[in-house]
Amino acid sequence: MATGGTAGASGASAAPLPIPESSKAMGEPILNEGYGVPSEFEKHVKRRRSDVFVNKQNYSDWSMTPLHQQVGIVTPNGLFFERHHNGVSRIDPEKHRLVVHGLVERPLVFTINDLMRYPSVSRFHFMECSGNGLTDWREPKSMTVQQSHGLLSCAQWTGVPLAWLLDEAGVKPEGKWVVLEGGDGSGHLRSIPIEKIMDDALLAYGQNGEMLRAEQGYPIRAFLPGWEGNTCVKWLRRIKVVSEPIQIRGETARYTDPMPHGKWRQYSMVMECKSVITNPSGGMTLKGPGSYEVQGFAWSGNGKITNVDLTFDGGRTWREASLEEPVLNKCLTRFRYRWNWDGSPVKLASRAMDSTGYVQPTVEEIARVREIVGFVQHHNGIFPWSIDQDGEVRNAIA
Amino acid sequence: MATGGTAGASGASAAPLPIPESSKAMGEPILNEGYGVPSEFEKHVKRRRSDVFVNKQNYSDWSMTPLHQQVGIVTPNGLFFERHHNGVSRIDPEKHRLVVHGLVERPLVFTINDLMRYPSVSRFHFMECSGNGLTDWREPKSMTVQQSHGLLSCAQWTGVPLAWLLDEAGVKPEGKWVVLEGGDGSGHLRSIPIEKIMDDALLAYGQNGEMLRAEQGYPIRAFLPGWEGNTCVKWLRRIKVVSEPIQIRGETARYTDPMPHGKWRQYSMVMECKSVITNPSGGMTLKGPGSYEVQGFAWSGNGKITNVDLTFDGGRTWREASLEEPVLNKCLTRFRYRWNWDGSPVKLASRAMDSTGYVQPTVEEIARVREIVGFVQHHNGIFPWSIDQDGEVRNAIA
């Protein structure tokens, strides 16, 4: 990451350029038909299941995106994070049906072919699990940003606005909430306020230019821009319009936030403004003093990112990072800052602000209004890394 | 693609909803580590080598993107088009070197690690082969849009602006062109005006969030936004600053355009404004009269797309399509138009305009200023499809 001067380069000698072996040989044959895969030299770049929770079964777990190895804002589909409650359902699109019923004038049943014939939209949005970061509130558990923040990815989603389907079914005046149910063995479902459904929710079938992967809910899933991943119900089979939330276990025992005085907050489904530095980040080692480009991601479920500030002294002073275009609504935004490291220990962190004026809080600020006990969801606190005199980067949450 | 009403849906019966098998079973186990692949039900979506040129060797050929199956503007890396002159080079990044020399003050040699330490940029841009469409100037040869336009893809590219490296090397006043040379067995190379290099050319190592695939020049390639694909030299090993183009075979016998009176045009490297309808397109069959969303791509190597007009009567009248945001510089733009087909034969086509005011021409207009003989490069003509009374869509170029 060193910048400027000839820090990264060596002067060419006057000797003739050596001819590499690749220039003297035929390449590998071109495949006649096929779907490409990454270079054999990039096999270390992969999703990983949590190393913090040791999980010995293969049906309910997280697979995390290597954010420190991602360039740009688009997460490749092969590296998109996953959260499963019951493994990966394999659904034949020819057999799958989607039902819209409940408090509607005209119940409807759709085949996938029906849905593919509708007009569609494509939009870039991040997706984040509500549990992203839940191991690292008060003390450092995660070694890397893949472990601490890797339940976060970003894609261009394609599908049909759910509002169009509900308008076609005709929502009755008493229909105020919508239950989304998946066709997986866990029967995962969530109650969603109808305002969100009618605002910008999608029935998504495409992701980054192609049909959804099985792990992402093939052939169809809900996609609620900026809302926690578990509301974006995969393998969607049922949309039921109801008058109030159905209070299933996932809405009472899970996906709630502990609050002061023994209360619990329900239906906190927006992922609020957040950011993290990905380069440098935990597990990396800086190769001596010099010029570095600090990079990271900022995102907000409430709008666009307007500012990212960086601190290199544990929060005493802040400097403004630059935001890379395009800066899109409810989408990852990459920030960059050219920094000169003098070789002494530092504690660095990022702080994002979104278009509503909301500023990413510290953990201390969150703890003043919520109760941080155990593995709490919705951790959008400022996240520091420390760099010691040897250049080693470590999780510095405390 | 039928829209509106309940054209695509059937009323739900009062019977209980059937429970699908997937809801009663465990899913597939979650992989512990790995890189995902598309659903098993999507194996028909793939790059294909040209069916128009029958090519029996495996080292010099085209693999085309299925544009009619792409959603959004990002082409998945696994479906990105390819053009090889000597197969796919497999290069170990630890061993690869990039040299900057010639008319510079300080010749430089870079390792890949050196280059990765520089600040970088990420930008969405299309890439198109100069030969895209060369089989279909005067008569229909291609059956599908994958064959006629599939040497076109789009990605977010990440890398170091070449201007930064050349500034570091110090270009001498007499340095006016730059030779880019690849490390493949064909020794592919091109002369590029230094103005383009200093304007927006990248030394790219990332594509759609991850490192380049081997087929795209891993570990590094040149990327010249909006310029023909062959100038974006893969497996880049040498950047030589020179005073004038070196006139190698690829610039005299190839990559030139025949002009009237026996002349040939050299160095026509910009891909000019162009568009094509991808849905419906050749090989599809419309399922009867009704409402359809017509979709396609527009792009320009000279700037942003400002307008796309559609004709359904062979060019007599035109209607304005909507452009999907974000509309980006030198990037694919998706256009959409809701159209009601009355079931009678039609001839439809799209016509794009870019931010310079340039309007995509007809083949007839191109033929007035250039000589169209044989397999001519740089076909950006308006491209019509016909739909007959049975709904069958065919290539209608003539």
Side-chain angles (χ1 to χ4, degrees):
Chain A
M1 277 195 315
T3 74
T6 53
S10 51
S13 76
L17 300 173
I19 308 294
E21 288 307 308
S22 61
S23 293
K24 298 183 238 176
M26 300 299 285
E28 302 284 324
I30 306 167
L31 294 175
N32 187 30
E33 295 190 343
Y35 189 96
V37 296
S39 160
E40 62 195 273
F41 296 103
E42 295 296 315
K43 288 192 171 151
H44 57 288
V45 181
K46 56 181 77 170
R47 289 181 289 220
R48 288 177 197 277
R49 285 171 64 186
S50 170
D51 297 321
V52 178
F53 291 131
V54 177
N55 197 333
K56 294 200 187 301
Q57 48 74 32
N58 294 313
Y59 297 94
S60 177
D61 204 357
W62 301 260
S63 302
M64 297 172 158
T65 293
L67 297 173
H68 56 302
Q69 292 162 321
Q70 180 176 324
V71 295
I73 60 170
V74 173
T75 308
N77 288 344
L79 297 173
F80 210 88
F81 89 84
E82 299 174 26
R83 168 69 174 113
H84 299 292
H85 300 275
N86 192 53
V88 180
S89 293
R90 304 276 168 181
I91 293 180
D92 182 343
E94 292 293 324
K95 297 178 184 162
H96 194 67
R97 296 293 180 273
L98 173 69
V99 178
V100 178
H101 71 150
L103 296 171
V104 298
E105 302 293 345
R106 291 168 296 280
L108 299 171
V109 180
F110 297 90
T111 67
I112 299 301
N113 279 336
D114 294 338
L115 294 167
M116 297 292 287
R117 292 174 64 184
Y118 275 73
S120 59
V121 300
S122 295
R123 296 173 184 153
F124 288 91
H125 291 300
F126 77 87
M127 180 180 289
E128 185 180 17
C129 178
S130 58
N132 201 24
L134 60 67
T135 51
D136 295 82
W137 279 98
R138 296 290 200 189
E139 52 178 325
K141 296 276 191 184
S142 296
M143 303 286 289
T144 69
V145 72
Q146 181 169 15
Q147 292 167 356
S148 65
H149 289 75
L151 298 173
L152 169 73
S153 302
C154 186
Q156 190 182 29
W157 304 92
T158 297
V160 182
L162 278 174
W164 299 355
L165 302 184
L166 287 185
D167 282 344
E168 191 168 328
V171 175
K172 292 182 176 174
E174 60 270 34
K176 300 298 184 194
W177 287 69
V178 169
V179 178
L180 304 175
E181 183 183 316
D184 60 322
S186 78
H188 177 66
L189 74 175
R190 288 302 308 265
S191 307
I192 309 291
I194 201 161
E195 291 80 5
K196 177 64 177 177
I197 299 292
M198 303 308 269
D199 175 19
D200 64 359
L202 295 181
L203 178 83
Y205 51 76
Q207 183 181 354
N208 286 337
E210 64 189 7
M211 290 290 282
L212 293 174
R213 303 287 177 89
E215 296 83 2
Q216 297 299 329
Y218 183 87
I220 51 170
R221 75 180 303 169
F223 186 82
L224 278 53
W227 283 31
E228 58 189 30
N230 70 76
T231 65
C232 304
V233 175
K234 293 185 280 195
W235 310 292
L236 189 70
R237 66 178 287 261
R238 187 150 78 119
I239 298 174
K240 184 173 184 179
V241 181
V242 293
S243 59
E244 52 187 25
I246 60 172
Q247 306 281 4
I248 46 89
R249 179 166 176 278
E251 299 171 349
T252 54
R254 296 287 173 92
Y255 303 129
T256 55
D257 305 317
M259 302 295 276
H261 313 300
K263 296 195 174 180
W264 289 75
R265 180 172 70 175
Q266 270 188 313
Y267 304 107
S268 55
M269 297 186 281
V270 178
M271 300 308 292
E272 289 187 298
C273 182
K274 187 170 170 183
S275 67
V276 67
I277 294 171
T278 56
N279 301 82
S281 61
M284 294 182 183
T285 304
L286 300 194
K287 293 188 174 67
S291 200
Y292 290 86
E293 187 177 57
V294 175
Q295 293 187 33
F297 292 117
W299 63 101
S300 169
N302 283 314
K304 291 186 184 186
I305 294 298
T306 54
N307 287 86
V308 176
D309 296 320
L310 302 183
T311 180
F312 296 89
D313 55 15
R316 279 184 296 129
T317 63
W318 296 85
R319 315 177 202 180
E320 192 172 353
S322 61
L323 307 182
E324 185 158 59
E325 293 291 337
V327 175
L328 300 171
N329 185 42
K330 304 175 186 176
C331 184
L332 286 193
T333 296
R334 183 172 287 271
F335 62 82
R336 299 172 178 278
Y337 183 83
R338 295 193 192 183
W339 172 58
N340 193 67
W341 183 44
D342 65 8
S344 55
V346 294
K347 194 167 163 186
L348 67 163
S350 60
R351 179 181 68 189
M353 187 169 93
D354 72 19
S355 47
T356 70
Y358 177 97
V359 178
Q360 182 183 4
T362 61
V363 170
E364 292 67 34
E365 288 168 337
I366 297 172
R368 268 180 233 138
V369 293
R370 294 172 55 195
E371 191 76 23
I372 311 301
V373 284
F375 295 129
V376 178
Q377 313 258 328
H378 290 283
H379 181 347
N380 71 321
I382 290 171
F383 198 92
W385 304 106
S386 65
I387 304 176
D388 68 15
Q389 67 280 3
D390 297 324
E392 289 192 19
V393 188
R394 289 189 182 84
N395 181 343
I397 200 88
Chain B
M1 279 194 313
T3 75
T6 54
S10 52
S13 77
L17 301 173
I19 308 294
E21 288 307 308
S22 60
S23 293
K24 299 184 238 175
M26 301 298 285
E28 302 284 324
I30 307 167
L31 295 174
N32 186 29
E33 294 189 343
Y35 189 95
V37 296
S39 160
E40 63 196 271
F41 297 103
E42 295 296 316
K43 288 194 172 152
H44 56 289
V45 181
K46 56 181 80 169
R47 288 181 290 217
R48 288 178 197 278
R49 286 170 65 184
S50 169
D51 298 322
V52 178
F53 290 130
V54 177
N55 196 334
K56 294 199 187 300
Q57 49 75 29
N58 294 314
Y59 297 95
S60 177
D61 204 357
W62 300 259
S63 301
M64 296 172 157
T65 293
L67 296 174
H68 57 301
Q69 292 162 321
Q70 180 175 324
V71 295
I73 59 170
V74 174
T75 308
N77 288 344
L79 297 172
F80 209 89
F81 90 84
E82 300 174 25
R83 167 69 174 112
H84 298 293
H85 300 274
N86 192 53
V88 179
S89 293
R90 304 276 169 181
I91 293 180
D92 182 343
E94 292 292 326
K95 296 179 186 163
H96 193 67
R97 297 292 181 273
L98 173 69
V99 178
V100 177
H101 71 151
L103 297 172
V104 298
E105 302 293 345
R106 288 168 298 279
L108 299 170
V109 181
F110 298 91
T111 67
I112 298 303
N113 279 336
D114 293 338
L115 294 167
M116 297 293 286
R117 291 174 64 185
Y118 275 73
S120 59
V121 301
S122 295
R123 296 174 184 151
F124 288 92
H125 292 299
F126 76 87
M127 181 180 288
E128 185 180 18
C129 178
S130 56
N132 201 23
L134 60 67
T135 52
D136 294 83
W137 279 97
R138 296 289 200 190
E139 52 179 324
K141 297 276 191 182
S142 296
M143 305 286 290
T144 69
V145 73
Q146 182 169 15
Q147 292 166 355
S148 65
H149 289 75
L151 298 173
L152 168 73
S153 302
C154 187
Q156 190 182 29
W157 304 91
T158 297
V160 183
L162 278 175
W164 299 355
L165 303 184
L166 286 185
D167 281 345
E168 191 169 328
V171 175
K172 292 182 176 174
E174 60 269 34
K176 300 297 184 194
W177 287 68
V178 169
V179 178
L180 304 175
E181 184 183 316
D184 60 320
S186 78
H188 177 66
L189 74 175
R190 286 303 309 265
S191 307
I192 309 292
I194 201 159
E195 291 80 6
K196 176 65 177 177
I197 298 293
M198 302 309 268
D199 176 19
D200 63 359
L202 294 181
L203 179 83
Y205 52 77
Q207 182 181 354
N208 285 337
E210 63 189 7
M211 290 290 282
L212 293 174
R213 303 287 177 88
E215 297 80 4
Q216 297 300 328
Y218 182 86
I220 50 171
R221 76 180 303 168
F223 186 81
L224 278 54
W227 282 32
E228 57 188 30
N230 70 75
T231 64
C232 304
V233 175
K234 292 186 280 196
W235 309 293
L236 189 68
R237 64 178 289 261
R238 188 149 77 120
I239 298 174
K240 183 173 184 179
V241 181
V242 293
S243 59
E244 54 186 23
I246 60 171
Q247 306 282 2
I248 45 90
R249 180 166 176 276
E251 299 171 349
T252 54
R254 296 289 172 91
Y255 303 130
T256 55
D257 304 316
M259 303 294 277
H261 313 300
K263 296 193 175 183
W264 289 75
R265 180 171 70 175
Q266 270 188 312
Y267 303 106
S268 54
M269 298 185 280
V270 177
M271 299 308 293
E272 289 186 299
C273 183
K274 186 170 171 183
S275 68
V276 67
I277 294 171
T278 56
N279 301 83
S281 60
M284 294 181 182
T285 304
L286 300 194
K287 293 187 174 67
S291 201
Y292 290 86
E293 187 177 57
V294 175
Q295 293 187 30
F297 292 118
W299 64 100
S300 169
N302 283 314
K304 292 186 184 186
I305 294 298
T306 54
N307 287 86
V308 175
D309 297 320
L310 302 182
T311 179
F312 296 89
D313 55 15
R316 278 184 297 126
T317 63
W318 296 85
R319 315 176 204 182
E320 191 172 354
S322 62
L323 306 182
E324 185 158 59
E325 293 289 337
V327 175
L328 300 171
N329 185 42
K330 303 175 186 175
C331 184
L332 286 193
T333 296
R334 184 172 286 271
F335 62 83
R336 299 171 178 280
Y337 183 84
R338 294 191 192 183
W339 171 59
N340 193 67
W341 183 45
D342 66 8
S344 55
V346 293
K347 195 169 163 185
L348 67 163
S350 60
R351 179 181 68 188
M353 187 168 92
D354 72 18
S355 47
T356 70
Y358 176 97
V359 178
Q360 182 183 6
T362 61
V363 170
E364 291 67 33
E365 288 168 336
I366 297 172
R368 267 180 236 138
V369 292
R370 294 171 55 195
E371 192 75 23
I372 311 301
V373 284
F375 295 129
V376 177
Q377 313 259 327
H378 290 282
H379 182 345
N380 71 321
I382 290 171
F383 197 92
W385 304 107
S386 65
I387 304 176
D388 68 15
Q389 67 280 5
D390 298 323
E392 289 192 20
V393 188
R394 289 190 183 84
N395 182 343
I397 199 87

